[in-house]
Every structure is written in C-alpha cells, then in structure tokens.
Amino acid sequence: MSGYGERRRSQAERDAITVEIGYALFSAAFAAAVLFGAVAGPALLFELPPPVQKLSLRTGLALAPLVFLVRVVSVLVRFRRDAQPSQPGRTSPDS
C-alpha cells in the first residue's frame, strides 16, 4: 500500500535512520543524566537544608525529561532537514 509521493527507502537509508535514532536517544539520555547530576547531585551528596534539598531534587526531576525530549527532537529534526537534497537532479554549476 503505497500512498501518493511515497517511495521505498533503501537499506542504507533505513540503516542511517536507525543509527540516527540510536544517537538521538543515547545523547539525550547522557545530557539528561548530566543535567540531573549537576542540579540534584549536591542534594544527594551533601546534607542540605530540607527545602533546598527538595527544590533541587524536584528541579532535576523536572528538567531532565525536558532536556531529554528537546535533545531527541532537535537531533531528529536536524537529521531530517539535512537528509533532503536542496535541488534534486541538479548538477554543480560549470559542469
């Protein structure tokens, strides 16, 4: 069942998409973990006043998923934009 304007992707294109999704997920998890460690880490390592400790943990728990989502979306949008040729079928000037 092929819709209008669809074409079958080659194995290389499917592999590139799979690698890009893996990269997006891995780099997003890493960025979220680093952010959580930076924000909530002091509350977990040191004895802080209870309000500061609670605020730090809640801020880390709120920001980490947000950073994860933003990173995944930005990587995949950039990949999709770079994957489309600017002028299909055109050769370089003066060729």
Side-chain angles (χ1 to χ4, degrees):
M1 243 178 148
S2 180
Y4 176 75
E6 289 184 21
R7 65 175 180 86
R8 293 185 56 99
R9 290 190 173 113
S10 69
Q11 185 63 42
E13 289 173 321
R14 290 193 306 265
D15 289 346
I17 291 168
T18 301
V19 167
E20 199 65 24
I21 290 170
Y23 169 72
L25 293 173
F26 181 78
S27 67
F30 182 77
V34 167
L35 179 99
F36 179 79
V39 173
L44 298 172
L45 293 174
F46 305 113
E47 190 66 35
L48 299 175
V52 174
Q53 186 173 9
K54 186 180 276 190
L55 178 66
S56 178
L57 287 172
R58 286 186 178 173
T59 303
L61 287 172
L63 289 178
L66 182 64
V67 166
F68 180 87
L69 184 64
V70 167
R71 177 66 182 165
V72 167
V73 169
S74 69
V75 168
L76 294 179
V77 165
R78 186 176 339 122
F79 174 73
R80 183 177 175 111
R81 183 177 54 228
D82 292 345
Q84 296 174 351
S86 59
Q87 295 178 340
R90 301 278 312 253
T91 59
S92 62
D94 300 327
S95 60

